[in-house]
Amino acid sequence: SDTYELDIVDLTDEKSVDLSASTFLPKQFIIENRVIPIRCNDGKLDIAISEPSMLNLMANIKLLTDKEVHAYIATFSQIDQ
C-alpha cells in the first residue's frame, strides 16, 4: 500500500463496507475484475482491490458510474470472500 500510496481497508469490519455500494457496478464486472465497491458518499465511490496493478481499472469504473473513484487495498482472500 505504501508504494502505491493506497490506504488499506479491512473488509471484515462491517463499518468499512456498505453493501448497497455494490449496485453501482454490474455483478459480472465485479466478479471478473475482483473489485469491491465498499462505499459511496457525495459522488465518490470507494473501491477495494487486491492488486495495485489494477489501478488502471479506476478510469473504467469512473466511466461506468459517473463518480469519482478512490481505491483501497484489501487482501485477496477478503475480496474473494
Side-chain angles (χ1 to χ4, degrees):
S1 70
D2 289 338
T3 302
Y4 290 91
E5 298 180 358
L6 296 174
D7 294 325
I8 296 172
V9 64
D10 180 2
L11 298 179
T12 62
D13 180 3
E14 293 178 10
K15 296 176 187 171
S16 297
V17 180
D18 177 1
L19 294 178
S20 67
S22 65
T23 61
F24 289 99
L25 288 174
K27 183 178 180 181
Q28 193 63 32
F29 184 90
I30 292 170
I31 293 168
E32 288 176 3
N33 294 289
R34 293 186 175 271
V35 299
I36 305 289
I38 57 173
R39 282 183 295 271
C40 186
N41 294 314
D42 300 324
K44 184 178 85 170
L45 183 63
D46 294 337
I47 302 286
I49 59 175
S50 62
E51 293 290 327
S53 60
M54 297 171 65
L55 285 171
N56 60 342
L57 280 177
M58 297 307 111
N60 291 347
I61 293 171
K62 183 177 180 175
L63 285 173
L64 284 170
T65 63
D66 195 31
K67 298 191 178 304
E68 290 299 317
V69 179
H70 184 256
Y72 289 83
I73 293 289
T75 65
F76 180 83
S77 61
Q78 286 182 355
I79 288 182
D80 206 32
Q81 289 177 354

